[in-house]
Amino acid sequence: MADEAIRVKVVCRVRPLNEKERASGDASIVNFPSPSCVALGQRMYTYDHVFQPVSTQVEVYTTSARPLVKDVLSGYNATIFAYGQTASGKTHTMEVYADHSLYRTVCSV
């Protein structure tokens, strides 16, 4: 926050297909024309950043949360809000895996 004016950033994460979806032969209908756009058919949606299904938890954290963690530790307020329909990937994005790689990344701030 010290480097930027106060603003809201909106990012989109498209989760990978889950095991059930892959087993039933489902395919993704999402295209990524640029690092900040998602296309569904003829409709384009623009965000501050788009994370594709191959994005790692560490990439999402480093780009989206780490700057906010630093700001909070400097005394500023920050909020991360995960929004989406059921099974859209909120838990997939927010959970910490058993190897604690995200935990180690957070602790490195």
Side-chain angles (χ1 to χ4, degrees):
M1 179 145 1
D3 298 336
E4 296 183 31
I6 298 172
R7 64 181 230 132
V8 173
K9 290 185 181 181
V10 179
V11 300
C12 173
R13 183 175 196 188
V14 178
R15 68 163 173 79
L17 296 176
N18 62 35
E19 288 180 30
K20 182 179 176 183
E21 292 163 335
R22 287 191 305 270
S24 67
D26 292 345
S28 179
I29 60 167
V30 181
N31 293 305
F32 305 96
S34 77
S36 62
C37 287
V38 172
L40 296 168
Q42 298 299 315
R43 299 194 62 139
M44 298 268 278
Y45 301 92
T46 303
Y47 301 91
D48 290 300
H49 190 84
V50 172
F51 295 100
Q52 296 186 25
V54 295
S55 298
T56 65
Q57 300 297 80
V58 172
E59 288 175 277
V60 174
Y61 168 76
T62 301
T63 302
S64 302
R66 189 176 186 156
L68 297 178
V69 172
K70 286 185 175 187
D71 288 342
V72 166
L73 294 174
S74 297
Y76 294 97
N77 295 322
T79 300
I80 298 174
F81 182 73
Y83 177 80
Q85 71 183 52
T86 300
S88 63
K90 298 176 300 294
T91 301
H92 174 79
T93 295
M94 300 302 286
E95 73 183 358
V96 176
Y97 290 106
D99 70 355
H100 300 290
S101 60
L102 186 58
Y103 175 77
R104 285 194 304 272
T105 306
V106 171
C107 290
S108 71
V109 174

